[in-house]
């Protein structure tokens, strides 16, 4: 079983290039099937979630040509089957974006109901509410969501909870519905805007993405496009906190600073220096960090996907910090692992009280989910001694070449497959 092994205590220094945004790419790849023309998508991150979604799309008849590691040419005129196999949705929840895309284009879709995952129950009732409002009949049978419609018509939809997935899924289906759709209380994340811009580049008529009201005038069909995915603001933020936690000096390149405002604000609050450039940010942490309080919120608030990364950093700050997770009900599971590294943390419901300690010590820990796994890597980089991380397949779902990028910043980290390889690492770095 692959593991990361880390010898901590080295301040990260240098430059790192950020890949394309996984959560934008997942929606954009699904939306690409809504035209029978050929579509070229660039700046794709080479991560497991993307590669699995491409396999799921090939399984229903999409022609996928991986032109390069980061670019794909797709054509969906021969989609024969609108039923996605369970094995794909088991691996990646976001296959449910295929419902909105298939329903919009073919007026029918059959996709397995996604299960929960490690951070919470993850319902999709708002997606279903939107599809029904557009005129679809939606039933759940044998673990599948089956959505069909004679035709889709515009509607005025209010999302009870701000939901990235529901916003994107409904936006896709409404793009080919007859008439005018208004979606209220929308998610405003950069990846929602990127999917809207992608659809508009194919001839859709979507206005207001990035605000809490999106207006869509349905069109007859969508056409070819070439599109490049935005940089991944969560990957960028992860490296920014890795610089902070290791008292490093890192230039994070290929970013959109505006997408990082909440993260940058928190780094400044805990006494890091952050310098912004057109498409880069530099994070320098030269002194002991200070505590602060954080509450995760929908964008532009502090992102839930950056909650584990700031929490492990605050575990080493001077003073006590309070972190409140308001989006998902089970996103502090990693705190037990962090405690084993010497952190002083108490979790009460959706709040973690973190009392900073002088040092963390390396330990063998397990990644419970994607972002918590990345955060435990940050903890290992900052800790004294050796940290071994199990279940790194979670991390590989969303971080391209994670260990390579960290090594380029001076980190002593390797992916190992055996105790022998781990021993060689210990001897080499000891
Ligand atoms: C997206 O998940 C991201 N995943 C998540 O990132 C991210 O944490 C989340 O948005 C919030 O930003 C992708 O984009 C693939 P939501 P999503 O619908 O769309 C509730 C990562 O690390 N809700 O915005 O599933 C839900 O329970 C992943 O890359 C309903 O009640 O999240 C949650 O409390 C982890 N009913 C809240 O809304 C619904 O129908 C926000 O969820 C849908 C959601």
């Amino acid at each position: 079983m692959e593991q990361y092994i880390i010898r901590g205590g080295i301040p990260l220094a240098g430059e790192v290039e950020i890949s394309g945004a996984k959560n934008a790419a997942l929606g954009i790849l699904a939306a690409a099937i809504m035209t029978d023309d050929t579509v070229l998508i660039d700046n794709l991150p080479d991560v497991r979630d993307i590669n699995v979604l491409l396999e799921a799309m090939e399984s229903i008849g999409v022609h996928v040509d991986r032109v390069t590691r980061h670019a794909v040419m797709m054509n969906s005129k021969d989609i024969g089957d609108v039923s996605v196999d369970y094995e794909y949705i088991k691996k990646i929840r976001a296959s449910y974006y295929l419902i909105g895309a298939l329903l919009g284009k073919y007026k029918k879709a059959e996709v397995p109901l996604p299960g929960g995952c490690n951070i919470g129950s993850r319902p999709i009732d708002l997606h279903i509410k939107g599809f029904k409002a557009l005129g679809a009949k939606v039933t759940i049978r044998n673990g599948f969501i089956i959505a069909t419609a004679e035709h889709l018509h515009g509607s005025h939809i209010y999302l009870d909870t701000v939901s990235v997935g529901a916003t994107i899924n409904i936006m896709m289906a409404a793009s080919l519905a007859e008439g005018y759709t208004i979606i209220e209380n929308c998610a405003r994340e950069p990846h929602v805007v990127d999917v809207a811009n992608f659809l508009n580049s194919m001839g859709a008529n979507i206005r207001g993405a990035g605000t809490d009201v999106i207006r869509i005038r349905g069109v007859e069909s969508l056409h070819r496009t070439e599109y490049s995915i935005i940089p991944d603001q969560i990957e960028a933020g992860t490296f920014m906190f890795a610089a902070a936690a290791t008292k490093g000096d890192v230039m994070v390149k290929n970013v959109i600073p505006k997408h990082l405002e909440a993260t940058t604000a928190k780094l400044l609050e805990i006494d890091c220096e952050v310098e912004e450039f057109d498409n880069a940010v530099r994070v320098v942490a030269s002194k002991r960090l200070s505590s602060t309080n954080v509450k995760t919120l929908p964008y532009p608030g502090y992102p839930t996907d950056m909650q584990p990364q700031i929490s492990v950093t605050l575990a080493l700050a001077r003073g006590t910090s309070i972190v409140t997770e308001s989006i998902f009900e089970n996103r502090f599971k990693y705190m037990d692992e962090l405690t084993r590294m010497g952190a002083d943390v108490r979790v009460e419901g959706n709040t973690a009280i973190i009392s900073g300690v002088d040092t963390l010590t390396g330990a063998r820990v397990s990644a419970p989910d994607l972002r918590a796994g990345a955060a435990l890597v940050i903890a290992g980089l900052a800790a004294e001694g050796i940290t071994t991380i199990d279940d790194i397949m979670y991390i590989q779902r969303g971080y391209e070449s994670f260990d390579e990028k960290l090594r380029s910043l001076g980190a002593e980290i390797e992916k190992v497959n055996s105790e022998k390889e781990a021993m060689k690492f210990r001897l080499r770095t000891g």
Side-chain angles (χ1 to χ4, degrees):
M1 173 72 83
E2 271 188 333
Q3 298 170 311
Y4 285 142
I5 186 165
I6 300 163
R7 182 176 293 283
I10 301 167
L12 297 187
E15 297 184 348
V16 64
E17 283 275 341
I18 297 305
S19 301
K22 166 181 84 83
N23 292 345
L26 292 168
I28 286 170
L29 288 175
I33 71 171
M34 297 180 77
T35 173
D36 282 343
D37 291 350
T38 296
V39 170
L40 173 65
I41 297 168
D42 193 8
N43 201 34
L44 270 182
D46 180 14
V47 296
R48 193 169 299 200
D49 272 11
I50 296 301
N51 299 333
V52 168
L53 183 60
L54 287 171
E55 285 169 26
M57 294 166 74
E58 282 187 300
S59 76
I60 61 171
V62 178
H63 299 294
V64 174
D65 173 11
R66 197 68 176 256
V67 179
T68 69
R69 188 180 177 199
H70 297 124
V72 68
M73 192 92 84
M74 296 165 52
N75 184 288
S76 303
K77 68 180 186 313
D78 296 330
I79 286 182
D81 178 3
V82 291
S83 173
V84 178
D85 199 294
Y86 177 69
E87 67 166 293
Y88 296 110
I89 203 137
K90 195 171 54 176
K91 291 177 190 167
I92 162 179
R93 288 175 43 78
S95 310
Y96 60 37
Y97 283 141
L98 293 172
I99 304 172
L102 292 168
L103 182 64
K105 184 181 182 185
Y106 299 106
K107 310 300 182 272
K108 60 181 176 177
E110 200 173 292
V111 177
L113 193 63
C117 79
N118 304 327
I119 59 176
S121 66
R122 313 292 295 273
I124 62 165
D125 56 306
L126 296 176
H127 302 235
I128 293 171
K129 172 181 175 178
F131 297 146
K132 286 182 174 174
L134 295 172
K137 180 170 172 290
V138 183
T139 54
I140 292 174
R141 198 167 58 242
N142 307 115
F144 277 77
I145 299 172
I146 299 152
T148 56
E150 287 304 308
H151 73 280
L152 294 176
H153 54 71
S155 181
H156 193 152
I157 300 161
Y158 181 81
L159 296 179
D160 311 62
T161 309
V162 176
S163 161
V164 168
T167 302
I168 290 175
N169 233 342
I170 297 165
M171 186 167 69
M172 283 194 282
S175 297
L176 291 177
E178 289 166 29
Y180 194 51
T181 295
I182 297 174
I183 312 173
E184 305 241 23
N185 199 25
C186 296
R188 300 163 53 185
E189 274 72 359
H191 34 289
V192 172
V193 177
D194 213 24
V195 176
N197 291 340
F198 173 74
L199 284 163
N200 283 340
S201 78
M202 293 204 289
N205 185 339
I206 301 170
R207 297 290 173 269
T211 73
D212 61 351
V213 181
I214 293 179
R215 300 168 195 283
I216 301 155
R217 187 166 294 288
V219 295
E220 282 290 311
S221 64
L222 298 173
H223 54 66
R224 72 178 54 256
T225 187
E226 295 187 10
Y227 196 82
S228 192
I229 310 273
I230 55 169
D232 191 318
Q233 83 270 16
I234 304 300
E235 184 194 12
T238 302
F239 279 97
M240 292 165 78
F241 276 106
T246 59
K247 293 194 177 57
D249 177 348
V250 174
M251 181 73 85
V252 182
K253 299 174 72 175
N254 187 31
V255 301
I256 298 172
K258 171 120 187 77
H259 293 168
L260 300 167
E261 281 180 347
T263 298
T264 298
K266 284 300 169 188
L267 284 164
L268 292 170
E269 268 178 43
I270 61 175
D271 288 336
C272 288
E273 297 155 53
V274 182
E275 194 177 352
E276 289 186 358
F277 303 86
D278 286 348
N279 58 1
V281 288
R282 182 180 175 193
V283 178
V284 182
S286 50
K287 57 190 179 206
R288 175 128 195 236
L289 302 175
S290 303
S291 60
T292 190
N293 298 328
V294 188
K295 179 173 184 179
T296 65
L297 287 168
Y299 191 85
Y302 188 85
T304 176
D305 290 349
M306 289 295 301
Q307 178 261 94
Q309 295 90 322
I310 193 168
S311 295
V312 302
T313 303
L314 293 172
L316 286 164
R318 184 181 49 251
T320 298
S321 303
I322 296 178
V323 179
T324 306
E325 172 56 60
S326 77
I327 307 289
F328 291 111
E329 67 270 25
N330 191 18
R331 205 163 197 175
F332 283 126
K333 279 198 335 203
Y334 64 96
M335 287 299 192
D336 294 337
E337 301 293 277
L338 195 59
T339 302
R340 296 179 57 242
M341 298 177 72
D344 179 355
V345 178
R346 200 169 71 251
V347 176
E348 291 181 0
N350 68 342
T351 300
I353 299 106
I354 304 169
S355 303
V357 294
D358 293 340
T359 58
L360 293 174
T361 53
R364 177 161 182 180
V365 294
S366 171
D369 61 70
L370 164 57
R371 305 301 175 185
L376 288 172
V377 169
I378 293 174
L381 293 168
E384 288 178 356
I386 297 277
T387 297
T388 307
I389 300 181
D390 294 326
D391 301 325
I392 63 171
M393 68 286 189
Y394 286 115
I395 303 171
Q396 293 165 329
R397 290 184 54 185
Y399 288 92
E400 178 183 317
S401 308
F402 196 39
D403 52 316
E404 289 96 330
K405 291 186 180 184
L406 287 167
R407 274 199 300 278
S408 75
L409 294 171
E412 282 288 10
I413 177 173
E414 268 181 35
K415 197 164 33 195
V416 295
N417 246 318
S418 67
E419 194 42 50
K420 184 167 173 250
E421 287 178 15
M423 189 52 71
K424 280 165 65 178
F425 175 89
R426 290 171 186 270
L427 291 173
R428 180 176 64 78
T429 62

